Amino acid sequence: MFDFKSVAQKERSRFLLRAWVASGLVLFALALIGIRLWVLQVDEHEGLLQRADRNRTAVMPIAPRRGEIVDRHGEILARNYLSHTLEVVPAEVQNMDKMLDALGQVIDLSPNAITRFKRRVAAGGRYQEIMLRNDLTELEGAYFAAQAFRFPGVKLKARWVRQYPQGQVAAHVVGYVGRISEADLQALDERGDLGNYRGTDVIGKQGVERAWEAMLHGMTGIESLEVTARGEPMRSLHRIDPEPGRDLILTLDLKLQRVAEQAFAHHRGALVAIDPQNGQILAYVSQPSFDPNLFVGGIDQESWRELNESKDVPMLNRPISGTYPIGSTYKPFVALAALELGKRDAETKIYDPGYFELGNQRFRNAGSAHYGHVDMHRSLVVSSDTYYYSLAPEIGIDALHDFMKPFGFGQRTGIDLSGERAGVLPSIKWKREAFKTPEQQRWYAGETVSAAIGQGYNAFTILQLAQATSVLANGGRYYKPHLVMSAQDRHGQVGRIERKEPDYVLDIEPKHLEIIHAALADVTQSGTARRAFAGTPYQAAGKTGTAQLFNLKGGRYRKDAIDERLRDHSLFMGFAPLEDPSIAIAVLVENGGWGSDTAAPIARKVMDAWLLEKDKEEQEAQEEQEGSDTEQKVAATDQPATQETAR
């Protein structure tokens, strides 16, 4: 017989078991949920709150306005202007490629511009405004504004753009800015400055723009925006305004700079003019030059190829990066070395037959000239090579090296520009380190002879020659050459950067300096530079030089028979006025021939522009002061009479 009661009891037991198991599972699940809620609400509350805030906010960088660059009189060399640009917020664009294709039908977008834009999008944030195209014309801006509804996320904005109003004038000094490259980003990251360049598209690449980048750039600002779930900005939560870069006031005199550049005409070369009393660079020429405006928005391939492949090498910063033999402009320093080291006094005469023999080798004077009996004074006035050929073995190359080093020859001066080369001031030690084989490492007596007239292994920058001339002019005081005089912040506060005291002072006998100065003064009066400096209302001192590039191998130099780029360099060094120098100058004209023919006339024009203009300004200031004093006296005289009349 079937037992219904037993079956029902079993079913009831199974049901209860299932109920308990289900209840346990429910309770376990509720416990897990409770624990998870505790973790979320209590343990991870702060972190999740910050994540939520980040999801609802976007932090946008605000690029600072770059500082301007002006000359010593306030004339602008680099400035900023507002340009219409197209900015894109990637978070607001659904299909970037489709948008770029459609926008290209409205506004001209070059392939290079699109490539650069995509690279910046990959490196930037989704909510950051990224420039797609700059320098839109008014017509392009108006046309896009009419079509803007078709392009959500693309905005027409105004942005600061760098401009160089002087064009090619002083381009190697000012330099230029260019788009930030991967190498720039890596360097900024290594210095810890990458965060300060969020939102910035350009960075200094050459010249003052590069050397003083940290001061010119300023500090980036930030703005926190509340955004929707779709990334659309709703309102500003917090803003820190950017701090503009500082304006730099250079020591350069733009009027003098223009005169110097125009004096070169079609010639290639370099010129540096320094104030001997403080090391300020007054003029700095590297010819040919280039237009820095080409680089601001990214130089096109054709322009870059033209600059990069030119035989004249316009991108070479000649005064600090080009090294040259300086020929006879080295002789005043060699003569001073002979006096200071006690190797020869100024009155000692040697016979100059037009050559000097050492062993089986004959070293000739330039142009095969012969001067008979010459002392130190006349050796500089007529530029006798033989006098210095004979002096070289008496001094020796190492002693010559040690004497020249404090003048700055063969040393980086530390000027506030990048790319300066040290050049070569030869010595026995230098040659051992520069060459590999024992035969090459050996120093020969004939090499000392060549070095004494600025040839041989000597390879100096024109800045080094100008700096050494400045030290010679001011009695041995060495001021480091510099281009930045002071910096001005947004409040108009000016902070001077240069130092007033010399870096060091050379221990030179004043009577020895007088001997050299007197000879250099006669060079411009009756010597090799007399034609260039005829009729000057001031007393200049200087030395011409001609540096040989082509080995004649004992033959006679014929200019017309040699390729133009193998002809001699033309040089001049000097200072003025003689008694109280306010300008020291070094000039090199590549393949210009005799120093007296090409370099010296350029130096004369620059000295005239500086000294005569300065005298004119002082006279005008004096006349203005005298006129003011006269007016005050007249007013003082008239006042009692006026009062008496009133009574």
Side-chain angles (χ1 to χ4, degrees):
M1 181 176 176
F2 185 75
D3 190 351
F4 286 98
K5 186 177 180 180
S6 176
V7 171
Q9 190 174 3
K10 290 179 180 179
E11 287 293 332
R12 185 169 178 272
S13 298
R14 280 198 291 269
F15 176 77
L16 290 173
L17 178 62
R18 291 172 182 169
W20 281 110
V21 171
S23 298
L25 291 173
V26 170
L27 290 173
F28 181 73
L30 290 174
L32 289 177
I33 293 173
I35 293 171
R36 182 59 179 165
L37 288 174
W38 174 271
V39 171
L40 293 175
Q41 295 294 328
V42 180
D43 287 352
E44 298 183 0
H45 170 74
E46 292 296 331
L48 292 173
L49 182 62
Q50 292 178 7
R51 289 176 61 184
D53 285 339
R54 285 197 296 268
N55 286 336
R56 75 180 183 88
T57 61
V59 179
M60 297 182 60
I62 308 172
R65 181 184 63 82
R66 194 173 180 85
E68 295 186 342
I69 303 174
V70 301
D71 84 329
R72 67 193 299 127
H73 301 298
E75 195 166 353
I76 295 175
L77 292 160
R79 65 185 176 192
N80 310 288
Y81 70 94
L82 283 173
S83 170
H84 292 297
T85 64
L86 284 182
E87 311 280 340
V88 178
V89 181
E92 299 178 14
V93 179
Q94 294 183 354
N95 188 319
M96 189 66 72
D97 291 333
K98 185 176 179 181
M99 181 276 292
L100 291 172
D101 290 340
L103 186 60
Q105 304 299 318
V106 178
I107 298 294
D108 182 34
L109 296 175
S110 68
N112 287 339
I114 293 175
T115 300
R116 287 195 297 265
F117 168 73
K118 289 184 175 180
R119 191 182 304 126
R120 289 196 291 269
V121 169
R126 294 182 66 245
Y127 304 105
Q128 181 180 343
E129 292 181 351
I130 299 175
M131 187 173 66
L132 172 60
R133 162 83 194 278
N134 68 340
D135 278 341
L136 270 71
T137 64
E138 291 186 7
L139 181 61
E140 287 177 320
Y143 193 56
F144 172 79
Q147 303 287 322
F149 68 93
R150 297 172 49 197
F151 306 100
V154 183
K155 304 174 183 179
L156 182 65
K157 301 195 73 174
R159 179 184 287 259
W160 291 111
V161 177
R162 202 62 160 172
Q163 184 187 45
Y164 303 99
Q166 307 302 331
Q168 295 190 12
V169 177
H172 289 88
V173 174
V174 180
Y176 58 86
V177 297
R179 295 193 181 278
I180 298 177
S181 64
E182 293 297 330
D184 294 326
L185 291 174
Q186 184 177 351
L188 289 170
D189 192 23
E190 291 173 355
R191 296 200 305 265
D193 293 335
L194 187 58
N196 193 34
Y197 280 78
R198 299 296 184 189
T200 301
D201 295 310
V202 297
I203 193 171
K205 297 286 188 177
Q206 294 292 339
V208 170
E209 292 276 28
R210 178 177 178 178
W212 293 85
E213 170 64 29
M215 191 168 287
L216 287 165
H217 178 260
M219 296 296 294
T220 298
I222 58 171
E223 183 175 18
S224 296
L225 298 174
E226 186 176 9
V227 296
T228 65
R230 296 176 58 186
E232 298 174 350
M234 295 175 59
R235 63 190 176 97
S236 176
L237 301 175
H238 179 64
R239 178 185 173 94
I240 299 177
D241 290 329
E243 183 177 335
R246 293 195 174 192
D247 298 334
L248 297 183
I249 302 167
L250 303 189
T251 63
L252 214 64
D253 186 301
L254 206 50
K255 290 181 180 179
L256 188 69
Q257 180 75 19
R258 292 192 186 100
V259 170
E261 291 190 12
Q262 292 168 4
F264 273 82
H266 62 280
H267 293 294
R268 301 179 305 277
L271 177 149
V272 176
I274 300 177
D275 186 338
Q277 306 305 324
N278 48 38
Q280 293 181 0
I281 303 291
L282 305 174
Y284 182 105
V285 177
S286 181
Q287 288 292 97
S289 188
F290 64 94
D291 185 357
N293 291 294
L294 293 171
F295 294 87
V296 175
I299 189 169
D300 61 271
Q301 292 183 355
E302 183 177 348
S303 297
W304 173 245
R305 188 183 302 110
E306 183 178 347
L307 289 172
N308 198 41
E309 296 179 1
S310 171
K311 291 182 179 180
D312 293 334
V313 201
M315 297 303 296
L316 175 64
N317 195 338
R318 284 170 165 82
I320 62 171
S321 299
T323 58
Y324 308 86
I326 61 171
S328 294
T329 59
Y330 202 44
K331 291 175 182 176
F333 304 97
V334 177
L336 185 59
L339 294 172
E340 285 289 303
L341 298 175
K343 300 299 181 180
R344 187 179 293 179
D345 59 43
E347 291 76 25
T348 299
K349 293 184 178 181
I350 64 115
Y351 183 72
D352 178 1
Y355 59 86
F356 172 75
E357 288 187 333
L358 181 68
N360 296 324
Q361 192 171 2
R362 178 173 287 188
F363 298 86
R364 298 182 180 277
N365 284 343
S368 298
H370 62 278
Y371 301 105
H373 293 283
V374 293
D375 58 9
M376 184 174 288
H377 184 96
R378 189 161 186 263
S379 75
L380 289 171
V381 173
V382 300
S383 197
S384 166
D385 289 339
T386 296
Y387 184 92
Y388 294 92
Y389 289 148
S390 67
L391 190 57
E394 297 179 26
I395 298 177
I397 192 62
D398 283 342
L400 194 61
H401 169 277
D402 294 344
F403 182 82
M404 297 300 179
K405 186 175 179 179
F407 281 89
F409 287 115
Q411 320 297 314
R412 291 184 178 87
T413 65
I415 188 175
D416 42 352
L417 289 176
S418 59
E420 183 180 15
R421 295 181 64 184
V424 176
L425 178 62
S427 67
I428 294 175
K429 180 183 177 182
W430 166 82
K431 195 176 184 187
R432 286 179 186 150
E433 295 174 350
F435 295 94
K436 295 180 179 180
T437 67
E439 185 64 22
Q440 291 175 319
Q441 293 173 339
R442 181 183 174 188
W443 186 268
Y444 296 92
E447 293 171 336
T448 306
V449 172
S450 295
I453 64 162
Q455 294 281 167
Y457 291 114
N458 287 324
F460 308 131
T461 67
I462 298 308
L463 175 61
Q464 289 171 4
L465 179 57
Q467 176 65 7
T469 303
S470 175
V471 175
L472 185 68
N474 68 23
R477 299 190 302 277
Y478 187 102
Y479 293 91
K480 185 169 75 171
H482 56 278
L483 282 157
V484 176
M485 183 188 304
S486 57
Q488 179 174 303
D489 63 20
R490 59 178 175 174
H491 304 296
Q493 297 295 320
V494 177
R496 295 191 71 83
I497 296 172
E498 60 182 356
R499 290 179 295 179
K500 295 182 178 180
E501 297 299 321
D503 293 74
Y504 54 85
V505 180
L506 278 67
D507 185 16
I508 304 174
E509 280 286 338
K511 63 180 181 180
H512 293 162
L513 279 173
E514 290 177 7
I515 291 169
I516 303 302
H517 285 193
L520 296 182
D522 272 359
V523 169
T524 65
Q525 292 294 307
S526 59
T528 55
R530 63 187 181 279
R531 286 179 299 179
F533 284 87
T536 55
Y538 54 86
Q539 177 59 66
K543 182 72 187 75
T544 59
T546 306
Q548 181 180 307
L549 298 182
F550 183 69
N551 189 349
L552 299 174
K553 297 181 179 179
R556 187 179 180 85
Y557 179 83
R558 294 197 304 275
K559 178 180 176 180
D560 297 337
I562 298 175
D563 182 85
E564 189 268 337
R565 293 180 185 272
L566 294 177
R567 294 172 188 168
D568 295 345
H569 290 331
S570 175
L571 295 109
F572 180 86
M573 58 77 77
F575 54 90
L578 177 65
E579 297 302 325
D580 186 20
S582 65
I583 184 171
I585 192 169
V587 185
L588 173 133
V589 180
E590 293 181 3
N591 315 116
W594 295 107
S596 57
D597 292 341
T598 315
I602 292 175
R604 163 71 187 273
K605 290 178 181 178
V606 174
M607 287 183 175
D608 281 357
W610 178 250
L611 297 171
L612 302 185
E613 184 67 25
K614 201 172 184 180
D615 290 343
K616 182 180 177 182
E617 291 175 357
E618 290 176 355
Q619 184 177 355
E620 290 176 351
Q622 184 177 354
E623 290 175 354
E624 184 178 347
Q625 182 63 39
E626 290 174 353
S628 177
D629 293 343
T630 303
E631 289 177 1
Q632 291 177 3
K633 289 179 181 179
V634 171
T637 304
D638 290 345
Q639 187 174 359
T642 304
Q643 292 176 347
E644 185 66 32
T645 303
R647 283 197 295 268

